[in-house]
Amino acid sequence: MKSFSIKSFLFAPLLFCCSFVVWSHGYVKSPESRSYYCKLGINEQCGPVQYEPQSIEGKQGFPKYGPADGKIASAANALFSPLDIQTTVRWQRAIINSPNVRFKWRITAKHKTTKWEYFITKPDWQPNSPLSRKQFILTPFCKFERVEIPGESVEHNCVLPKNQKGYHVILAIWTINDTVNAFYQVIDAEIN
């Protein structure tokens, strides 16, 4: 018969609680990212990201470095691999009615920041194929470079490239200054 320890029973929830706090960072709240829609329960069968939309963290340096093709949405984190499924009908889309877009990040743990970048899929991208570098325009359409420690909310006013209509994926990247990582957020957008 296994022995039971009150100490281990009490320690387990504390460990879970603290690990959640340590891994909390930030996500795009508007236009709603794929992971935020998972948190809201609008996107289903997302896996653990529904509890941690702020934890999609991977190596920085996109497009030269960073997550491998096919694993961009999850930042190559196996826990979040359901985010890498890419089809025209899999994900709820955020409606964008103007080329002027205000991106709003919710920051759950502050990090010294190097830059924020926004990439978008090419006009002729293949929405039923995995997200890869060849699917994106590899020059960010919007970029903010400054070393800062952000507050709980960060907003960026950006202008989408011309001729981007219909379903597109926007990749938002928050590059951290005090680690080798960045936070990746994918936004499924219906651009009118």
Side-chain angles (χ1 to χ4, degrees), residues 56-73:
I56 306 167
E57 182 178 14
K59 296 294 180 195
Q60 61 181 252
F62 186 88
K64 188 172 182 181
Y65 304 108
D69 288 345
K71 298 179 185 302
I72 294 170

Side-chain angles (χ1 to χ4, degrees), residues 149-180:
I149 297 178
E152 291 181 5
S153 180
V154 173
E155 296 185 10
H156 297 125
N157 292 314
C158 299
V159 179
L160 295 175
K162 293 179 181 178
N163 303 321
Q164 302 294 85
K165 295 196 188 289
Y167 177 35
H168 280 277
V169 169
I170 296 170
L171 175 62
I173 303 175
W174 172 24
T175 300
I176 304 306
N177 184 271
D178 53 9
T179 75
V180 296

Side-chain angles (χ1 to χ4, degrees), residues 62 68-70 72 129-136 138:
F62 186 88
D69 288 345
I72 294 170
S129 296
L131 291 176
S132 65
R133 284 156 177 78
K134 72 179 181 177
Q135 295 271 56
F136 285 94
L138 296 179

